[in-house]
């Protein structure tokens, strides 16, 4: 079964634009999918300093960057990663 690892930026810009809510959502996803979703908060990924602050918050799902993350888009990305083969 696939494992999915999620990194959520919890730097200031991302945190205030929803990063905290995303961390909570991952907890719920992990429960829903039997512990197959791991998550870590990351210091600023540096993207907000590259003129992309309007695309915050940022997250990575198995290393794939997602911009302007919402609970819904994060859930969709995690479910897609869980359904992909070849990651364990
Ligand atoms: S705070 Fe998230 S990329 Fe900088």
């Amino acid at each position: 079964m696939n494992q999915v690892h999620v990194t959520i930026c919890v730097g200031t810009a991302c945190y205030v634009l929803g990063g905290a809510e995303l961390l909570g959502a991952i907890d719920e996803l992990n429960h829903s999918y039997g512990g197959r979703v791991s998550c870590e908060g990351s210091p600023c990924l540096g993207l907000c300093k590259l003129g992309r602050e309007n695309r915050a918050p940022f997250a990575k799902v198995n290393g794939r960057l997602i911009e302007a993350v919402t609970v819904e888009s994060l859930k969709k990305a995690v479910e897609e990663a869980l359904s992909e083969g070849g990651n364990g």
Side-chain angles (χ1 to χ4, degrees):
M1 289 205 155
N2 287 348
Q3 289 287 131
V4 175
H5 185 70
V6 179
T7 303
I8 295 174
C9 180
V10 291
T12 303
C14 289
Y15 190 85
V16 300
L17 289 170
E21 185 183 8
L22 297 174
L23 286 170
I26 287 295
D27 268 350
E28 290 179 20
L29 277 175
N30 191 36
H31 282 294
S32 299
Y33 288 102
R36 292 163 61 198
V37 183
S38 59
C39 181
E40 66 178 341
S42 168
C44 175
L45 296 170
L47 298 162
C48 64
K49 297 171 182 148
L50 299 173
R52 294 167 75 173
E53 61 275 3
N54 62 329
R55 303 297 298 162
F58 298 97
K60 291 181 179 179
V61 176
N62 282 351
R64 184 170 67 90
L65 179 67
I66 308 174
E67 301 180 348
V69 185
T70 63
V71 169
E72 291 75 24
S73 67
L74 183 62
K75 183 176 179 187
K76 183 168 180 255
V78 167
E79 288 173 342
E80 285 174 1
L82 283 167
S83 67
E84 292 171 357
N87 190 36

